[in-house]
Amino acid sequence: MHLIKKGILLVAFGSRIPAAQSAYQNIDQKVKTTFPQIPVRWAYTSAIIRRKLAEGGIQIDSVEIALAKMMDEGFTHLAVQSLQTVSGKEYHDLVRIVRAFELMPHGFQITVGYPLLSSSLDMTRVAAALIRHIPQERKNEEAVVFMGHGGSHPSNAVYTALMYHLQQKDPNIFVGCVESSPTIENIKQILLDRKIKTAYLIPFMSVAGHHALKDLAGNDENSWKSILTACGIKSVAVLKGTAEYDDMVDIWVDHLKDAIASFSSFEVQA
Ligand code: CO
């Protein structure tokens, strides 16, 4: 008879910013409360961040190392939860690593939980949560500009789709991407056309890390704050990541529940 040993691996990009750690701890707590019987491990995909953390004595595994350790320890069923925001390059790389481990002779059965924005239900829930956490003092004629990460992967279109959903509720909410489109220049032009005087700048990333502190709210001339300030739009930065909000974390946890629920079908096959 086969002994079943289930495990959870949470996979994030990683961050060195202390406030980001509390966001990750929030996810960790929620996952452990939801699945008290299942051991929970972490991996960061960013080699640079892992290296810098290691210099300060904090050891975080890569996905490959974390999976190898769990394989070695005899885990039979593993749910890997992506803490990414969209199913972009990071997520697809994660899936490729997982598939490689499945092929190994002592391989376990692995399922991968989807990133935050992966279904139309997610879109509705994320849009509602983003609107819920806009500061109360913001007035309707003021803009709210979310900064997503973005990239060259086709999933980048999800950010524009999210903006569409948000604007159905509130036409002065925008979503741009720091590494891709919609760009801050695109958004700036609309704000100027609408004669908007104030914009709330909020990261749409799991943690308010490097991009939020530097590219969104930093004092460099290329930051979104500086770009808007230069054309007379006052900026108010709200430096909190999505993982700091329970209603956002619930979405990742629900994806993890789905990943764990699919274990049973594997057991039937075995
Ligand atoms: Co980046």
Side-chain angles (χ1 to χ4, degrees), residues 175-190:
V175 182
C177 290
V178 62
E179 305 284 7
S180 186
S181 70
T183 65
I184 187 59
E185 295 299 330
N186 299 147
I187 294 166
K188 180 182 94 175
Q189 197 50 55
I190 302 169

Side-chain angles (χ1 to χ4, degrees), residues 46-57:
S46 169
I48 298 169
I49 286 170
R50 277 185 282 109
R51 200 174 308 129
K52 297 238 169 99
L53 284 172
E55 284 166 12

Side-chain angles (χ1 to χ4, degrees), residues 89-131:
K89 185 181 183 303
E90 284 273 313
Y91 170 74
H92 287 279
D93 285 351
L94 172 63
V95 172
R96 287 177 64 190
I97 296 168
V98 164
R99 294 292 166 251
F101 271 82
E102 274 181 327
L103 295 174
M104 293 187 194
H106 307 290
F108 26 36
Q109 289 163 347
I110 318 183
T111 55
V112 183
Y114 285 116
L116 185 72
L117 261 179
S118 300
S119 68
S120 55
L121 175 62
D122 295 340
M123 189 66 85
T124 307
R125 292 177 73 184
V126 168
L130 288 176
I131 290 173

Side-chain angles (χ1 to χ4, degrees), residues 2-206:
H2 250 57
L3 217 59
I4 289 175
K5 186 174 175 183
K6 292 181 182 177
I8 290 170
L9 179 65
L10 302 176
V11 178
F13 180 77
S15 177
R16 292 191 297 138
I17 313 277
Q21 305 312 315
S22 66
Y24 287 150
Q25 272 160 23
N26 189 33
I27 297 180
D28 188 70
Q29 279 310 310
K30 279 218 157 218
V31 168
K32 284 175 178 162
T33 310
T34 311
F35 307 100
Q37 320 290 354
I38 307 181
V40 178
R41 306 274 176 87
W42 279 80
Y44 287 177
T45 59
S46 169
I48 298 169
I49 286 170
R50 277 185 282 109
R51 200 174 308 129
K52 297 238 169 99
L53 284 172
E55 284 166 12
I58 300 167
Q59 214 67 48
I60 307 272
D61 289 334
S62 65
V63 176
E64 293 90 333
I65 297 285
L67 288 175
K69 283 182 181 170
M70 293 177 95
M71 186 174 274
D72 205 43
E73 289 171 41
F75 282 87
T76 59
H77 293 71
L78 191 59
V80 177
Q81 179 57 47
S82 158
L83 299 176
Q84 274 82 37
T85 298
V86 303
S87 305
K89 185 181 183 303
E90 284 273 313
Y91 170 74
H92 287 279
D93 285 351
L94 172 63
V95 172
R96 287 177 64 190
I97 296 168
V98 164
R99 294 292 166 251
F101 271 82
E102 274 181 327
L103 295 174
M104 293 187 194
H106 307 290
F108 26 36
Q109 289 163 347
I110 318 183
T111 55
V112 183
Y114 285 116
L116 185 72
L117 261 179
S118 300
S119 68
S120 55
L121 175 62
D122 295 340
M123 189 66 85
T124 307
R125 292 177 73 184
V126 168
L130 288 176
I131 290 173
R132 207 174 293 134
H133 301 302
I134 292 170
Q136 297 262 302
E137 59 272 23
R138 175 253 173 178
K139 302 183 187 74
N140 285 343
E141 67 271 19
E142 296 171 336
V144 177
V145 181
F146 289 102
M147 176 191 264
H149 194 279
S152 57
H153 190 273
S155 66
N156 196 72
V158 168
Y159 293 102
T160 310
L162 175 65
M163 177 152 65
Y164 169 81
H165 281 266
L166 290 164
Q167 291 187 349
Q168 300 279 76
K169 309 262 186 234
D170 183 332
N172 285 336
I173 302 181
F174 300 85
V175 182
C177 290
V178 62
E179 305 284 7
S180 186
S181 70
T183 65
I184 187 59
E185 295 299 330
N186 299 147
I187 294 166
K188 180 182 94 175
Q189 197 50 55
I190 302 169
L191 302 191
L192 289 173
D193 291 347
R194 292 188 192 173
K195 301 187 171 32
I196 288 174
K197 297 281 182 290
T198 302
Y200 284 76
L201 304 180
I202 308 176
F204 177 55
M205 299 182 196
S206 59

